[in-house]
Amino acid sequence: MHELFIEMECSQFTKTGQAACGDDVRFLTVDKEKRYIAALSDGLGSGVKAHVLSTMTTTMALRFLQSNLPTLESVEIIMDSLPVCEVRKISYATFTLFDFALGGRARILEMGNPGYIHLRGTEEIGPVSERKVQSEHWPDRGVRECDADLRAGDRIIFCSDGVTQAGLGERRDMKLGWRRSGVLKFAQEKIAADPEISALDLSRQIASTSVGITKGVCRDDVSCVVIYLRKPRVMRILSGPPFRRENDAEYARQANLGEDHVVICGGTTVNIIERELGAAVKISLADMREAGALPPIGRVAGVGIATEGILTLGRVLSALEEGRPINGEPAAARAILARMMRHDRIEFVVGTKVNECHQDPNLPQELELRRSVVRRIASLLERNYRKTVKIDYY
Amino acid sequence: MEKIKVEICCGTACYLLGATRLMGIEQNLSKEMKDRVEFEVKPCLGLCNDERLGGSPYVRINGSEVLANATPDMVISRVNELLGREEV
Ligand code: FES
Protein backbone atom coordinates (compact mmCIF):
# COMPACT_ATOMS: atom_id res chain seq x y z
CA MET A 1 0.00 0.00 0.00
CA HIS A 2 2.91 2.35 0.59
CA GLU A 3 3.85 2.38 -3.06
CA LEU A 4 0.72 4.35 -3.86
CA PHE A 5 0.55 7.85 -5.15
CA ILE A 6 -2.54 9.85 -4.28
CA GLU A 7 -3.43 12.36 -6.92
CA MET A 8 -5.99 14.91 -5.73
CA GLU A 9 -7.20 17.46 -8.22
CA CYS A 10 -10.07 19.84 -8.70
CA SER A 11 -11.54 21.78 -11.61
CA GLN A 12 -13.83 24.73 -11.12
CA PHE A 13 -15.95 27.22 -12.99
CA THR A 14 -17.49 30.28 -11.41
CA LYS A 15 -21.13 31.09 -11.98
CA THR A 16 -21.36 33.38 -14.98
CA GLY A 17 -21.39 37.01 -13.92
CA GLN A 18 -20.01 36.45 -10.42
CA ALA A 19 -16.66 37.74 -9.30
CA ALA A 20 -15.95 35.00 -6.77
CA CYS A 21 -16.60 31.29 -6.79
CA GLY A 22 -19.11 30.21 -4.16
CA ASP A 23 -17.55 26.76 -3.96
CA ASP A 24 -14.31 26.15 -2.17
CA VAL A 25 -12.00 23.16 -2.40
CA ARG A 26 -9.00 22.49 -0.23
CA PHE A 27 -6.50 19.66 -0.03
CA LEU A 28 -4.18 18.75 2.76
CA THR A 29 -1.49 16.10 2.93
CA VAL A 30 -0.10 15.14 6.28
CA ASP A 31 3.17 13.52 5.30
CA LYS A 32 3.98 12.10 8.70
CA GLU A 33 0.74 10.15 8.83
CA LYS A 34 0.64 9.46 5.08
CA ARG A 35 -2.75 11.01 5.25
CA TYR A 36 -4.74 12.76 2.54
CA ILE A 37 -7.61 15.10 3.27
CA ALA A 38 -9.88 16.92 0.84
CA ALA A 39 -12.79 19.26 1.46
CA LEU A 40 -15.34 20.67 -0.95
CA SER A 41 -17.93 23.13 0.18
CA ASP A 42 -20.70 24.89 -1.69
CA GLY A 43 -21.74 28.13 0.01
CA LEU A 44 -25.39 29.02 -0.01
CA GLY A 45 -26.14 31.31 -2.94
CA SER A 46 -23.31 32.59 -5.07
CA GLY A 47 -20.71 35.29 -5.29
CA VAL A 48 -18.63 36.72 -2.51
CA LYS A 49 -20.96 35.81 0.35
CA ALA A 50 -21.13 32.20 -0.75
CA HIS A 51 -17.39 32.25 -1.16
CA VAL A 52 -16.89 33.30 2.44
CA LEU A 53 -19.27 30.61 3.70
CA SER A 54 -17.62 27.86 1.74
CA THR A 55 -14.11 28.96 2.61
CA MET A 56 -14.96 29.07 6.31
CA THR A 57 -16.39 25.59 6.01
CA THR A 58 -13.44 23.99 4.25
CA THR A 59 -10.94 25.73 6.50
CA MET A 60 -12.64 24.53 9.66
CA ALA A 61 -13.25 21.07 8.24
CA LEU A 62 -9.60 20.50 7.37
CA ARG A 63 -8.51 21.59 10.79
CA PHE A 64 -11.04 19.39 12.61
CA LEU A 65 -10.33 16.34 10.50
CA GLN A 66 -6.63 16.70 10.96
CA SER A 67 -6.99 16.91 14.71
CA ASN A 68 -9.35 13.91 14.74
CA LEU A 69 -12.25 15.71 16.35
CA PRO A 70 -15.36 13.49 16.49
CA THR A 71 -17.64 13.88 13.50
CA LEU A 72 -20.68 15.19 15.32
CA GLU A 73 -18.71 17.78 17.19
CA SER A 74 -16.96 19.03 14.07
CA VAL A 75 -20.14 19.30 12.12
CA GLU A 76 -21.92 21.13 14.92
CA ILE A 77 -19.13 23.66 15.28
CA ILE A 78 -19.17 24.30 11.56
CA MET A 79 -22.93 24.73 11.36
CA ASP A 80 -23.12 26.83 14.51
CA SER A 81 -20.48 29.22 13.26
CA LEU A 82 -21.99 30.01 9.89
CA PRO A 83 -24.37 32.97 9.65
CA VAL A 84 -28.04 32.17 9.08
CA CYS A 85 -29.71 33.08 5.83
CA GLU A 86 -32.50 35.59 6.52
CA VAL A 87 -34.84 34.23 3.89
CA ARG A 88 -34.38 30.52 4.13
CA LYS A 89 -33.43 30.37 7.78
CA ILE A 90 -30.76 27.89 7.02
CA SER A 91 -27.22 28.57 7.84
CA TYR A 92 -24.81 26.67 5.97
CA ALA A 93 -22.67 25.67 3.25
CA THR A 94 -22.92 22.07 2.09
CA PHE A 95 -19.81 19.92 2.14
CA THR A 96 -18.07 16.72 1.19
CA LEU A 97 -15.03 15.73 3.22
CA PHE A 98 -12.60 12.99 2.36
CA ASP A 99 -10.06 11.63 4.82
CA PHE A 100 -7.73 8.77 4.03
CA ALA A 101 -4.58 7.44 5.62
CA LEU A 102 -2.60 4.90 3.62
CA GLY A 103 -3.23 1.42 4.86
CA GLY A 104 -6.62 2.26 6.32
CA ARG A 105 -10.09 2.96 5.08
CA ALA A 106 -11.25 6.24 3.67
CA ARG A 107 -13.90 8.17 5.53
CA ILE A 108 -16.24 10.37 3.59
CA LEU A 109 -18.62 12.85 5.19
CA GLU A 110 -21.34 14.47 3.18
CA MET A 111 -23.90 17.08 3.92
CA GLY A 112 -26.13 18.44 1.21
CA ASN A 113 -23.77 17.71 -1.68
CA PRO A 114 -24.36 15.13 -4.42
CA GLY A 115 -23.22 11.68 -3.26
CA TYR A 116 -19.62 10.77 -3.97
CA ILE A 117 -18.72 8.23 -6.63
CA HIS A 118 -16.22 5.44 -6.01
CA LEU A 119 -14.91 3.68 -9.10
CA ARG A 120 -12.63 0.70 -9.44
CA GLY A 121 -11.85 0.74 -13.12
CA THR A 122 -15.31 1.38 -14.49
CA GLU A 123 -17.12 -0.51 -11.75
CA GLU A 124 -18.95 1.48 -9.12
CA ILE A 125 -18.12 0.43 -5.56
CA GLY A 126 -20.42 1.11 -2.62
CA PRO A 127 -19.27 2.03 0.87
CA VAL A 128 -18.24 -0.72 3.30
CA SER A 129 -20.46 0.88 5.90
CA GLU A 130 -22.55 3.97 6.17
CA ARG A 131 -24.39 5.83 8.90
CA LYS A 132 -26.31 9.02 9.54
CA VAL A 133 -24.99 11.53 11.99
CA GLN A 134 -27.70 13.80 13.34
CA SER A 135 -27.18 16.92 15.38
CA GLU A 136 -29.76 18.01 17.91
CA HIS A 137 -29.06 21.61 17.05
CA TRP A 138 -29.87 21.00 13.42
CA PRO A 139 -32.55 18.32 13.24
CA ASP A 140 -33.27 18.90 9.58
CA ARG A 141 -29.67 18.51 8.49
CA GLY A 142 -28.20 15.04 8.41
CA VAL A 143 -24.65 14.09 7.69
CA ARG A 144 -23.91 10.89 5.82
CA GLU A 145 -20.73 9.23 6.97
CA CYS A 146 -19.30 6.42 4.85
CA ASP A 147 -16.29 4.15 5.09
CA ALA A 148 -14.80 3.14 1.78
CA ASP A 149 -12.28 0.47 1.01
CA LEU A 150 -9.77 1.98 -1.37
CA ARG A 151 -7.35 0.02 -3.53
CA ALA A 152 -4.66 0.86 -6.01
CA GLY A 153 -6.28 2.17 -9.17
CA ASP A 154 -9.47 3.38 -7.46
CA ARG A 155 -10.95 6.80 -7.98
CA ILE A 156 -13.20 8.92 -5.82
CA ILE A 157 -15.19 11.66 -7.51
CA PHE A 158 -17.31 14.32 -5.87
CA CYS A 159 -18.73 17.58 -7.00
CA SER A 160 -20.95 20.51 -6.17
CA ASP A 161 -24.55 20.48 -7.36
CA GLY A 162 -23.58 22.90 -10.10
CA VAL A 163 -22.31 19.79 -11.89
CA THR A 164 -25.18 17.39 -11.27
CA GLN A 165 -27.87 20.01 -11.83
CA ALA A 166 -26.43 21.32 -15.06
CA GLY A 167 -29.24 21.61 -17.58
CA LEU A 168 -31.95 21.42 -14.93
CA GLY A 169 -35.21 22.82 -16.20
CA GLU A 170 -33.46 24.02 -19.29
CA ARG A 171 -32.85 21.05 -21.47
CA ARG A 172 -35.72 18.80 -22.48
CA ASP A 173 -33.48 15.78 -22.56
CA MET A 174 -32.30 16.47 -19.01
CA LYS A 175 -35.31 17.57 -17.06
CA LEU A 176 -33.57 16.89 -13.79
CA GLY A 177 -30.20 18.04 -14.96
CA TRP A 178 -27.12 15.95 -15.68
CA ARG A 179 -27.58 14.21 -12.31
CA ARG A 180 -25.18 12.02 -10.42
CA SER A 181 -26.02 9.16 -12.74
CA GLY A 182 -24.98 11.23 -15.75
CA VAL A 183 -21.66 12.13 -14.14
CA LEU A 184 -21.13 8.47 -13.23
CA LYS A 185 -21.79 7.27 -16.75
CA PHE A 186 -19.56 9.97 -18.22
CA ALA A 187 -16.68 9.10 -15.88
CA GLN A 188 -17.06 5.39 -16.69
CA GLU A 189 -16.85 6.13 -20.40
CA LYS A 190 -13.78 8.29 -19.98
CA ILE A 191 -12.04 5.65 -17.90
CA ALA A 192 -12.96 2.90 -20.35
CA ALA A 193 -11.38 4.96 -23.13
CA ASP A 194 -8.29 5.82 -21.09
CA PRO A 195 -7.87 3.56 -18.05
CA GLU A 196 -5.02 5.69 -16.70
CA ILE A 197 -6.61 9.08 -17.17
CA SER A 198 -5.16 11.42 -14.58
CA ALA A 199 -7.22 12.97 -11.81
CA LEU A 200 -6.68 16.39 -13.32
CA ASP A 201 -7.84 15.39 -16.79
CA LEU A 202 -10.89 13.59 -15.52
CA SER A 203 -11.97 16.43 -13.24
CA ARG A 204 -11.43 18.92 -16.06
CA GLN A 205 -13.50 16.90 -18.44
CA ILE A 206 -16.35 16.45 -16.00
CA ALA A 207 -16.42 20.13 -15.07
CA SER A 208 -16.20 21.41 -18.62
CA THR A 209 -18.75 18.92 -19.90
CA SER A 210 -21.21 20.07 -17.28
CA VAL A 211 -20.69 23.66 -18.36
CA GLY A 212 -21.05 22.56 -21.98
CA ILE A 213 -24.53 21.23 -21.20
CA THR A 214 -25.72 24.80 -20.76
CA LYS A 215 -23.69 25.99 -23.73
CA GLY A 216 -20.90 27.46 -21.67
CA VAL A 217 -23.10 29.55 -19.37
CA CYS A 218 -22.64 28.57 -15.73
CA ARG A 219 -25.95 28.69 -13.91
CA ASP A 220 -24.19 27.84 -10.69
CA ASP A 221 -20.63 27.44 -9.47
CA VAL A 222 -19.16 24.19 -10.70
CA SER A 223 -16.51 22.17 -8.85
CA CYS A 224 -15.40 18.64 -9.44
CA VAL A 225 -12.83 16.82 -7.33
CA VAL A 226 -11.17 13.62 -8.48
CA ILE A 227 -8.91 11.58 -6.24
CA TYR A 228 -6.94 8.86 -7.94
CA LEU A 229 -4.90 6.24 -6.10
CA ARG A 230 -2.36 5.01 -8.51
CA LYS A 231 0.96 3.37 -8.70
CA PRO A 232 3.51 6.14 -8.80
CA ARG A 233 4.84 7.01 -12.24
CA VAL A 234 8.53 6.44 -11.99
CA MET A 235 11.22 7.92 -14.18
CA ARG A 236 14.96 7.46 -14.09
CA ILE A 237 17.75 9.82 -14.97
CA LEU A 238 21.13 8.21 -15.51
CA SER A 239 24.07 10.53 -15.40
CA GLY A 240 27.81 10.07 -15.18
CA PRO A 241 30.06 7.05 -15.71
CA PRO A 242 30.25 4.57 -12.78
CA PHE A 243 33.31 4.75 -10.60
CA ARG A 244 34.31 1.21 -11.50
CA ARG A 245 34.07 -0.08 -14.99
CA GLU A 246 32.92 -3.49 -13.74
CA ASN A 247 29.70 -1.83 -12.72
CA ASP A 248 28.87 -0.48 -16.16
CA ALA A 249 26.62 -3.40 -17.03
CA GLU A 250 24.57 -3.17 -13.88
CA TYR A 251 24.44 0.59 -14.18
CA ALA A 252 23.18 0.35 -17.75
CA ARG A 253 20.48 -2.09 -16.73
CA GLN A 254 18.91 0.70 -14.68
CA ALA A 255 17.90 2.23 -17.99
CA ASN A 256 15.41 -0.57 -18.62
CA LEU A 257 12.27 1.18 -17.54
CA GLY A 258 10.54 1.98 -20.80
CA GLU A 259 11.34 4.66 -23.29
CA ASP A 260 9.01 7.30 -21.89
CA HIS A 261 10.54 7.09 -18.45
CA VAL A 262 14.26 7.27 -19.03
CA VAL A 263 16.70 10.12 -19.60
CA ILE A 264 20.37 9.49 -20.20
CA CYS A 265 22.25 12.56 -19.34
CA GLY A 266 25.83 12.93 -20.50
CA GLY A 267 27.92 11.91 -23.50
CA THR A 268 30.06 9.31 -21.79
CA THR A 269 26.96 7.93 -20.10
CA VAL A 270 25.24 7.57 -23.46
CA ASN A 271 28.28 5.72 -24.77
CA ILE A 272 28.12 3.26 -21.88
CA ILE A 273 24.42 2.64 -22.44
CA GLU A 274 24.97 2.10 -26.15
CA ARG A 275 27.76 -0.35 -25.52
CA GLU A 276 26.11 -2.27 -22.70
CA LEU A 277 22.60 -2.43 -24.10
CA GLY A 278 23.55 -2.72 -27.76
CA ALA A 279 21.47 0.34 -28.57
CA ALA A 280 22.38 3.33 -30.71
CA VAL A 281 21.74 6.99 -30.16
CA LYS A 282 20.35 9.06 -32.99
CA ILE A 283 20.99 12.80 -33.17
CA SER A 284 20.75 14.74 -36.39
CA LEU A 285 22.12 18.06 -37.51
CA ALA A 286 18.54 19.30 -37.45
CA ASP A 287 18.31 18.35 -33.76
CA MET A 288 21.42 20.40 -33.26
CA ARG A 289 19.91 23.40 -35.01
CA GLU A 290 16.76 23.17 -32.92
CA ALA A 291 18.61 22.70 -29.68
CA GLY A 292 18.59 26.31 -28.49
CA ALA A 293 21.18 27.24 -25.91
CA LEU A 294 22.18 23.67 -25.03
CA PRO A 295 23.61 20.65 -26.83
CA PRO A 296 20.96 18.71 -28.74
CA ILE A 297 18.68 16.00 -27.58
CA GLY A 298 18.90 12.53 -29.06
CA ARG A 299 16.94 9.36 -28.87
CA VAL A 300 18.18 5.91 -27.97
CA ALA A 301 15.59 3.64 -29.56
CA GLY A 302 13.92 1.39 -27.03
CA VAL A 303 15.73 3.04 -24.09
CA GLY A 304 14.94 6.72 -23.72
CA ILE A 305 16.10 10.20 -24.58
CA ALA A 306 19.73 11.25 -24.44
CA THR A 307 21.07 14.67 -23.56
CA GLU A 308 24.36 16.25 -22.72
CA GLY A 309 25.15 16.08 -19.02
CA ILE A 310 26.29 18.86 -16.82
CA LEU A 311 25.26 21.95 -18.78
CA THR A 312 21.81 20.49 -19.28
CA LEU A 313 21.38 19.49 -15.64
CA GLY A 314 22.58 22.92 -14.60
CA ARG A 315 19.94 24.49 -16.79
CA VAL A 316 17.25 22.22 -15.34
CA LEU A 317 18.36 23.25 -11.87
CA SER A 318 18.18 26.96 -12.59
CA ALA A 319 14.78 26.62 -14.27
CA LEU A 320 13.43 24.84 -11.17
CA GLU A 321 15.08 27.32 -8.83
CA GLU A 322 13.62 30.31 -10.60
CA GLY A 323 10.34 28.63 -11.49
CA ARG A 324 10.82 29.53 -15.16
CA PRO A 325 8.14 28.26 -17.56
CA ILE A 326 9.20 25.02 -19.20
CA ASN A 327 8.29 26.11 -22.70
CA GLY A 328 10.91 28.81 -22.83
CA GLU A 329 13.76 26.40 -22.12
CA PRO A 330 16.14 24.91 -24.71
CA ALA A 331 14.98 21.56 -26.09
CA ALA A 332 17.02 19.27 -23.84
CA ALA A 333 16.11 21.03 -20.58
CA ARG A 334 12.51 21.30 -21.70
CA ALA A 335 12.31 17.57 -22.38
CA ILE A 336 13.75 16.67 -18.99
CA LEU A 337 11.55 19.12 -17.11
CA ALA A 338 8.44 17.96 -18.92
CA ARG A 339 9.23 14.37 -18.01
CA MET A 340 9.84 15.30 -14.42
CA MET A 341 6.45 16.98 -14.22
CA ARG A 342 4.72 13.93 -15.71
CA HIS A 343 6.19 11.56 -13.12
CA ASP A 344 5.65 11.24 -9.38
CA ARG A 345 8.85 9.58 -8.45
CA ILE A 346 12.18 10.56 -9.91
CA GLU A 347 15.15 8.28 -9.48
CA PHE A 348 18.63 9.52 -10.22
CA VAL A 349 21.28 6.98 -10.99
CA VAL A 350 24.53 8.84 -10.71
CA GLY A 351 27.95 7.62 -11.76
CA THR A 352 30.72 9.09 -9.66
CA LYS A 353 33.77 8.74 -11.82
CA VAL A 354 35.53 12.03 -12.47
CA ASN A 355 35.04 12.82 -16.09
CA GLU A 356 38.42 13.22 -17.70
CA CYS A 357 36.77 14.96 -20.58
CA HIS A 358 36.19 17.92 -18.33
CA GLN A 359 39.78 18.31 -17.26
CA ASP A 360 40.57 20.48 -20.23
CA PRO A 361 41.96 23.73 -18.74
CA ASN A 362 40.00 25.68 -21.35
CA LEU A 363 36.71 24.65 -19.78
CA PRO A 364 34.97 26.39 -16.90
CA GLN A 365 35.73 24.91 -13.51
CA GLU A 366 32.16 24.33 -12.32
CA LEU A 367 31.77 21.40 -14.65
CA GLU A 368 32.57 18.71 -12.15
CA LEU A 369 29.71 19.38 -9.80
CA ARG A 370 27.36 16.74 -11.09
CA ARG A 371 26.61 15.34 -7.69
CA SER A 372 25.77 18.62 -6.09
CA VAL A 373 23.62 19.70 -9.03
CA VAL A 374 21.65 16.47 -8.78
CA ARG A 375 21.20 16.90 -5.05
CA ARG A 376 19.90 20.42 -5.49
CA ILE A 377 17.49 19.37 -8.23
CA ALA A 378 16.28 16.57 -5.98
CA SER A 379 15.52 18.82 -3.06
CA LEU A 380 13.65 21.31 -5.24
CA LEU A 381 11.54 18.52 -6.73
CA GLU A 382 10.64 17.32 -3.27
CA ARG A 383 10.00 20.69 -1.76
CA ASN A 384 8.25 22.56 -4.55
CA TYR A 385 6.76 19.86 -6.72
CA ARG A 386 5.69 17.17 -4.24
CA LYS A 387 7.80 14.53 -6.00
CA THR A 388 9.54 11.70 -4.27
CA VAL A 389 13.16 11.43 -5.23
CA LYS A 390 15.78 8.77 -4.83
CA ILE A 391 19.47 9.06 -5.67
CA ASP A 392 21.68 6.01 -6.15
CA TYR A 393 25.40 6.31 -6.67
CA TYR A 394 27.50 3.98 -8.75
CA MET B 1 29.18 3.50 -53.45
CA GLU B 2 29.79 3.81 -49.74
CA LYS B 3 28.93 7.15 -48.25
CA ILE B 4 31.51 9.12 -46.34
CA LYS B 5 30.54 9.16 -42.70
CA VAL B 6 31.10 12.39 -40.80
CA GLU B 7 30.53 12.29 -37.05
CA ILE B 8 30.27 15.63 -35.32
CA CYS B 9 30.80 15.62 -31.59
CA CYS B 10 28.39 17.58 -29.50
CA GLY B 11 29.49 16.48 -26.05
CA THR B 12 30.07 18.98 -23.28
CA ALA B 13 33.62 19.89 -24.20
CA CYS B 14 33.10 20.04 -27.94
CA TYR B 15 29.89 21.98 -27.52
CA LEU B 16 31.49 24.54 -25.26
CA LEU B 17 34.47 24.91 -27.54
CA GLY B 18 32.46 25.59 -30.65
CA ALA B 19 30.77 22.50 -32.11
CA THR B 20 27.71 24.57 -32.94
CA ARG B 21 29.60 26.22 -35.78
CA LEU B 22 29.27 22.90 -37.57
CA MET B 23 25.55 22.62 -37.37
CA GLY B 24 24.86 24.35 -40.69
CA ILE B 25 27.45 22.37 -42.58
CA GLU B 26 24.96 20.49 -44.77
CA GLN B 27 23.86 23.72 -46.38
CA ASN B 28 27.38 24.40 -47.60
CA LEU B 29 27.58 21.22 -49.60
CA SER B 30 26.90 20.90 -53.28
CA LYS B 31 24.04 18.64 -54.32
CA GLU B 32 26.37 15.83 -55.44
CA MET B 33 28.30 15.98 -52.22
CA LYS B 34 25.14 15.81 -50.14
CA ASP B 35 24.30 12.47 -51.66
CA ARG B 36 27.72 11.10 -50.86
CA VAL B 37 28.10 12.21 -47.27
CA GLU B 38 26.27 11.11 -44.18
CA PHE B 39 26.31 13.29 -41.09
CA GLU B 40 25.79 12.10 -37.57
CA VAL B 41 25.88 14.01 -34.32
CA LYS B 42 27.54 12.18 -31.44
CA PRO B 43 27.23 12.67 -27.69
CA CYS B 44 30.99 12.44 -27.00
CA LEU B 45 33.56 10.79 -29.19
CA GLY B 46 35.73 10.15 -26.17
CA LEU B 47 38.55 12.19 -27.66
CA CYS B 48 38.33 15.24 -25.47
CA ASN B 49 40.55 13.80 -22.73
CA ASP B 50 43.48 13.23 -25.04
CA GLU B 51 45.55 16.38 -25.31
CA ARG B 52 47.71 15.05 -28.11
CA LEU B 53 44.78 15.10 -30.49
CA GLY B 54 44.70 18.86 -30.66
CA GLY B 55 41.50 20.01 -29.01
CA SER B 56 37.72 20.16 -29.26
CA PRO B 57 35.53 20.36 -31.21
CA TYR B 58 36.22 17.03 -32.84
CA VAL B 59 34.90 15.51 -36.02
CA ARG B 60 35.54 11.91 -36.97
CA ILE B 61 35.54 10.78 -40.56
CA ASN B 62 34.78 7.25 -41.65
CA GLY B 63 35.11 6.00 -38.11
CA SER B 64 38.84 6.56 -37.75
CA GLU B 65 40.25 9.82 -38.98
CA VAL B 66 40.01 12.63 -36.44
CA LEU B 67 39.83 16.34 -37.16
CA ALA B 68 40.61 18.52 -34.16
CA ASN B 69 39.45 22.13 -33.77
CA ALA B 70 37.13 21.30 -36.59
CA THR B 71 35.53 23.99 -38.73
CA PRO B 72 33.05 23.56 -41.57
CA ASP B 73 35.72 24.49 -44.13
CA MET B 74 38.11 21.89 -42.79
CA VAL B 75 35.49 19.18 -42.91
CA ILE B 76 34.31 20.10 -46.39
CA SER B 77 37.78 20.21 -47.88
CA ARG B 78 38.68 16.88 -46.30
CA VAL B 79 35.48 15.35 -47.67
CA ASN B 80 36.30 16.79 -51.09
CA GLU B 81 39.72 15.22 -50.98
CA LEU B 82 38.28 11.85 -50.13
CA LEU B 83 35.67 12.07 -52.84
CA GLY B 84 38.30 13.17 -55.35
CA ARG B 85 40.46 10.23 -54.49
CA GLU B 86 37.62 7.82 -55.05
CA GLU B 87 36.93 9.26 -58.45
CA VAL B 88 40.42 8.52 -59.77
S1 FES C 1 32.98 16.09 -25.94
FE1 FES C 1 33.65 15.82 -27.94
S2 FES C 1 34.99 14.20 -27.74
FE2 FES C 1 34.21 14.40 -25.78
Side-chain angles (χ1 to χ4, degrees):
Chain A
M1 208 55 178
H2 286 278
E3 271 303 313
L4 270 186
F5 184 82
I6 317 298
E7 194 183 16
M8 301 196 284
E9 294 288 350
C10 167
S11 297
Q12 282 188 315
F13 289 94
T14 299
K15 179 173 176 177
T16 305
Q18 291 290 352
C21 187
D23 296 348
D24 190 58
V25 173
R26 256 147 230 260
F27 299 124
L28 179 74
T29 15
V30 189
D31 288 332
K32 279 202 303 289
E33 302 171 57
K34 295 198 186 303
R35 187 170 175 194
Y36 301 84
I37 301 175
L40 171 122
S41 173
D42 178 352
L44 190 68
S46 56
V48 174
K49 200 179 121 207
H51 175 74
V52 172
L53 289 174
S54 60
T55 311
M56 278 174 73
T57 306
T58 52
T59 311
M60 285 190 273
L62 286 192
R63 178 124 358 119
F64 296 155
L65 284 175
Q66 194 189 354
S67 52
N68 299 316
L69 209 67
T71 308
L72 182 60
E73 203 176 322
S74 328
V75 170
E76 282 182 339
I77 303 177
I78 293 174
M79 294 204 279
D80 292 346
S81 346
L82 295 172
V84 179
C85 165
E86 291 301 321
V87 191
R88 290 156 74 181
K89 297 285 176 232
I90 39 177
S91 89
Y92 73 102
T94 65
F95 58 76
T96 304
L97 312 176
F98 169 90
D99 181 10
F100 173 57
L102 281 186
R105 284 197 170 136
R107 190 160 64 111
I108 296 142
L109 300 173
E110 294 175 331
M111 190 186 74
N113 271 350
Y116 76 94
I117 293 170
H118 178 183
L119 288 172
R120 181 163 299 152
T122 56
E123 184 196 350
E124 196 190 1
I125 307 287
V128 183
S129 63
E130 144 169 29
R131 60 209 152 266
K132 272 249 168 305
V133 180
Q134 198 74 48
S135 157
E136 282 169 16
H137 312 196
W138 303 91
D140 51 340
R141 292 281 139 207
V143 174
R144 176 182 179 227
E145 181 172 29
C146 298
D147 289 320
D149 182 20
L150 292 187
R151 303 202 195 141
D154 285 10
R155 290 179 178 86
I156 296 281
I157 304 170
F158 48 88
C159 48
S160 60
D161 62 3
V163 176
T164 48
Q165 292 182 358
L168 180 88
E170 219 175 312
R171 291 239 324 223
R172 285 239 189 96
D173 54 338
M174 289 187 194
K175 284 221 174 61
L176 298 168
W178 199 17
R179 310 183 72 181
R180 182 181 176 282
S181 57
V183 177
L184 171 64
K185 186 158 160 276
F186 178 84
Q188 286 169 322
E189 284 165 10
K190 289 292 152 196
I191 294 167
D194 177 3
E196 297 195 347
I197 184 169
S198 71
L200 184 60
D201 282 347
L202 187 58
S203 73
R204 268 190 194 147
Q205 294 199 28
I206 292 172
S208 59
T209 303
S210 88
V211 174
I213 288 173
T214 42
K215 306 206 166 53
V217 184
C218 296
R219 302 282 179 225
D220 191 359
D221 300 308
V222 159
S223 308
C224 176
V225 172
V226 175
I227 297 166
Y228 181 21
L229 281 75
R230 56 178 169 72
K231 295 227 174 69
R233 287 192 265 253
V234 181
M235 76 174 285
R236 240 172 242 163
I237 301 178
L238 280 76
S239 187
F243 190 73
R244 274 182 237 287
R245 220 199 124 122
E246 305 92 272
N247 291 337
D248 283 5
E250 196 200 325
Y251 174 80
R253 270 199 298 278
Q254 307 301 312
N256 286 325
L257 199 69
E259 216 174 320
D260 292 335
H261 314 289
V262 172
V263 179
I264 302 154
C265 219
T268 316
T269 318
V270 175
N271 293 338
I272 293 171
I273 301 296
E274 289 185 288
R275 188 186 69 224
E276 296 294 332
L277 302 182
V281 65
K282 270 235 157 320
I283 315 171
S284 66
L285 281 169
D287 294 328
M288 205 164 153
R289 286 191 293 269
E290 285 151 23
L294 279 179
I297 184 169
R299 187 172 158 244
V300 186
V303 179
I305 55 170
T307 70
E308 181 275 342
I310 197 65
L311 303 172
T312 309
L313 287 174
R315 182 85 194 200
V316 166
L317 172 62
S318 75
L320 291 174
E321 251 165 7
E322 292 167 26
R324 290 198 300 264
I326 293 179
N327 285 338
E329 293 302 304
R334 190 168 67 225
I336 294 178
L337 287 161
R339 277 182 187 222
M340 285 173 165
M341 297 307 134
R342 275 205 302 276
H343 290 83
D344 312 308
R345 181 178 166 83
I346 293 138
E347 301 183 347
F348 289 92
V349 186
V350 179
T352 55
K353 183 160 155 198
V354 173
N355 203 333
E356 289 143 4
C357 287
H358 300 167
Q359 301 306 300
D360 186 324
N362 296 320
L363 293 174
Q365 301 229 311
E366 316 73 84
L367 282 182
E368 252 334 296
L369 299 171
R370 189 193 314 271
R371 265 190 275 184
S372 83
V373 170
V374 167
R375 265 199 300 268
R376 284 162 66 195
I377 293 177
S379 76
L380 283 166
L381 288 172
E382 285 176 325
R383 199 153 20 97
N384 299 350
Y385 298 87
R386 299 205 337 194
K387 309 286 179 189
T388 53
V389 181
K390 179 171 159 236
I391 310 179
D392 281 331
Y393 295 100
Y394 271 81
Chain B
M1 198 184 311
E2 282 270 302
K3 285 193 176 184
I4 296 177
K5 187 163 149 196
V6 176
E7 295 169 293
I8 299 169
C9 182
C10 212
T12 310
C14 292
Y15 177 83
L16 284 176
L17 296 172
T20 46
R21 66 186 174 223
L22 295 158
M23 70 190 178
I25 191 166
E26 275 167 317
Q27 278 107 340
N28 298 331
L29 297 183
S30 63
K31 169 87 181 64
E32 307 86 76
M33 275 177 89
K34 266 188 200 156
D35 296 337
R36 313 258 325 256
V37 188
E38 188 185 322
F39 287 101
E40 272 181 35
V41 179
K42 287 285 160 187
C44 171
L45 293 171
L47 306 167
C48 47
N49 54 347
D50 192 339
E51 277 166 32
R52 289 164 308 174
L53 291 174
S56 291
Y58 288 105
V59 166
R60 190 163 62 191
I61 298 187
N62 283 337
S64 55
E65 184 185 341
V66 170
L67 303 181
N69 288 311
T71 63
D73 287 349
M74 262 167 84
V75 177
I76 290 173
S77 65
R78 185 60 191 139
V79 167
N80 268 326
E81 270 174 46
L82 290 171
L83 289 174
R85 192 179 306 157
E86 268 178 30
E87 241 102 85
V88 192

